[in-house]
Amino acid sequence: AAGVIQSPRHLIKEKRETATLKCYPIPRHDTVYWYQQGPGQDPQFLISFYEKMQSDKGSIPDRFSAQQFSDYHSELNMSSLELGDSALYFCASSPIGSGLSTDTQYFGPGTRLTVL
Amino acid sequence: AQSVAQPEDQVNVAEGNPLTVKCTYSVSGNPYLFWYVQYPNRGLQFLLKYITGDNLVKGSYGFEAEFNKSQTSFHLKKPSALVSDSALYFCAVRDKTNDYKLSFGAGTTVTVRA
């Protein structure tokens, strides 16, 4: 079965650089979520999109922005990177349905970002 | 605000013994509860969820979880653990309001020894 695809899988950047993470949801999934997992921590919600519109926002720094495109893939743009941004970034998608809050989120393998 | 707590950082069991990973929740309304497992350098894999109905939920890989409203718990169980079940387990919750995000517990590292 098709899964959520994230690219790149690994990314190394210097402080103050920018990074773009991409997420391709499972086919026919229209909702995308981004989470950040720091070392030894639980995933923290950043932002989500439903039908290409931002649906919810969590603890996402102002230096980060995201969008969902017409083909439902999403990109997380990160600027002025800081050492503390080093983390595993997960994308998850959930299927089209009437009960949005009950839908299961399926996670991608993550992008490991290292800021030096 | 919604939250879950996983009181144990680590659980160690012998292969073939029962495995229980504890989770308690706090939400203002009816909870939607999920269990995910994370293997090293891998993404989160969905195991099971409770939305409504039967309090005993069966999921992937022989796991099940019991929803207990009076104790606000949603413990994950497996009757006979395997070495391959060694991983990091996360409990997560969403409440019934229009709030899409998952709130995760701190995670429990399960080690199953041969």
Side-chain angles (χ1 to χ4, degrees):
Chain A
V4 176
I5 297 172
Q6 290 187 247
S7 67
R9 292 293 307 277
H10 301 273
L11 191 58
I12 299 175
K13 290 286 185 178
E14 300 278 344
K15 281 194 304 184
R16 293 180 287 280
E17 285 191 322
T18 61
T20 297
L21 279 54
K22 297 184 179 182
C23 169
Y24 298 87
I26 294 171
R28 293 183 297 281
H29 284 199
D30 63 348
T31 306
V32 168
Y33 311 80
W34 286 97
Y35 292 84
Q36 177 192 57
Q37 185 180 28
Q41 297 180 0
D42 58 288
Q44 294 292 317
F45 172 73
L46 292 177
I47 195 167
S48 63
F49 293 88
Y50 168 60
E51 279 292 340
K52 293 154 280 185
M53 300 288 288
Q54 181 182 308
S55 55
D56 198 1
K57 194 172 182 180
S59 52
I60 183 169
D62 292 339
R63 300 178 288 107
F64 294 6
S65 64
Q67 57 182 326
Q68 186 179 32
F69 295 85
S70 57
D71 63 351
Y72 297 109
H73 94 272
S74 178
E75 295 184 2
L76 178 65
N77 298 294
M78 311 160 71
S79 63
S80 303
L81 288 169
E82 302 174 356
L83 295 178
D85 296 329
S86 295
L88 194 55
Y89 290 83
F90 287 112
C91 172
S93 71
S94 64
I96 298 168
S98 59
L100 290 171
S101 64
T102 68
D103 290 338
T104 299
Q105 294 181 25
Y106 295 92
F107 284 75
T111 294
R112 184 169 295 282
L113 173 66
T114 302
V115 182
L116 302 176
Chain B
Q2 58 192 40
S3 66
V4 290
Q6 294 179 241
E8 299 164 318
D9 291 336
Q10 289 194 331
V11 170
N12 299 302
V13 297
E15 188 173 35
N17 281 2
L19 169 64
T20 298
V21 187
K22 295 180 181 177
C23 172
T24 59
Y25 65 88
S26 174
V27 298
S28 55
N30 292 325
Y32 298 141
L33 295 156
F34 301 78
W35 274 103
Y36 286 85
V37 59
Q38 184 176 27
Y39 297 97
N41 300 313
R42 300 278 293 278
L44 295 161
Q45 295 181 32
F46 168 73
L47 284 178
L48 51 78
K49 67 180 178 183
Y50 172 81
I51 303 300
T52 187
D54 195 349
N55 289 341
L56 185 63
V57 179
K58 293 189 182 296
S60 307
Y61 313 119
F63 284 94
E64 59 188 28
E66 186 169 10
F67 173 70
N68 188 317
K69 190 172 183 177
S70 62
Q71 297 184 5
T72 62
S73 67
F74 188 56
H75 301 332
L76 181 70
K77 299 179 181 181
K78 186 170 184 179
S80 178
L82 301 172
V83 172
S84 57
D85 293 328
S86 299
L88 181 58
Y89 291 79
F90 287 103
C91 181
V93 67
R94 302 166 93 172
D95 67 24
K96 69 173 182 178
T97 62
N98 208 21
D99 184 348
Y100 305 138
K101 66 178 181 288
L102 287 170
S103 296
F104 287 88
T108 299
T109 298
V110 170
T111 302
V112 182
R113 60 185 184 277

